[in-house]
Amino acid sequence: MATKPPSHKHHRVEIDAHTALDDLAHYRLEIDEGDLDDPVLVGPDGARIETWRENYPYNERLDRADYEQGKRALQIELLKLQSWAQDTGQRIAVLFEGRDAAGKGGTIKRFMEHLNPRAARVVALDKPTHRENGQWYFQRYVAHLPTAGEIVLFDRSWYNRANVELVMGWVNDEKYRLFLQQVPVFERLLIDDGLHLVKLWFSVSRREQQTRFIIRRIDPVRQWKLSPTDLALLDRWDDYTKAREVMFDTTDTDYAPWTVIRSNDKRRARLEAMRLLLHELPYPGKSKRVATKPDAKIAGPPWRIYERGEPKLSQPASRATAPTRRQTG
């Protein structure tokens, strides 16, 4: 007789992240559907902590089998995209931004999994050197932009200045205001020169972010991801929210729009991020069944996708009617 799988207690909890990080003995990790990459946090009472449900449009996470099947189909399309870029000399840059623990790194890993590394690379810059601090702010990022036939994925980009640097007090008001003035001009120059620029913001709810911080502290292979900056940002959620609002208001343009990816379910976030890139770029042989429009419940503009406690933004006038450069081809 087949044995029934063990049942799990489920509940929604509000975690005091600081207390939990100081008292980890009562928390443990559990593997879900054999997926070692995405363990589940179990609380002191033995119940799974399901903060991912906060403000989330689906009642269940994406099934692993459906995820793996969808991921493979999208990765095949990514290879078609890469072949087109190499054959025609296209330059593609994708910016992965968002709060800490929002799933940027895991998504980048799935983008890169089967791409040819000779024509695709990840840029994840460390803090600037003394020399870089004396340069024009964008200068060190320009050095990493793609050449003809190349795809570059930025694990955080020049938008560091609009978020982490601002919230942590690492940039003064003058440099911050100058950055906001220059970004739209900088991106307009890149796009006018033929660069395909895709800007993704990974959104995570407040309690789910706290859960992920605890997982990072417990899991030996993730501990390096929990930096002093991450811990400092735990108390600055509202400051980060305000910085995000100003960033979108200033830099969400018709020619370089932002797409917000709701990432409380990492599997759905990864697939919809891939789908967005594939849907927007005109590579040959595109599968209309696979490279469809992203799920509107998971991916969309900043005025439509936001977390509880984040203000609802107004739709910029320029985005109401004007198509993006990528859509006009």
Side-chain angles (χ1 to χ4, degrees), residues 99 204-206 209 233 235-241 310:
R99 297 182 191 267
V204 63
S205 71
R206 188 170 195 167
Q209 184 192 49
L233 288 171
D235 296 321
R236 303 184 190 186
W237 176 276
D238 293 335
D239 293 337
Y240 215 107
T241 298
E310 294 177 344

Side-chain angles (χ1 to χ4, degrees), residues 292-311:
T292 59
K293 279 187 177 181
D295 182 347
K297 293 180 181 178
I298 303 299
W303 64 84
R304 191 163 52 75
I305 304 289
Y306 53 92
E307 300 297 339
R308 181 174 296 149
E310 294 177 344

Side-chain angles (χ1 to χ4, degrees), residues 112 116-117 119-123 143-147 150-154:
M112 288 293 297
N116 180 349
R121 57 190 169 89
V122 178
V123 174
H144 294 279
L145 289 171
T147 188
E150 192 176 34
I151 300 171
V152 173
L153 310 179
F154 283 87

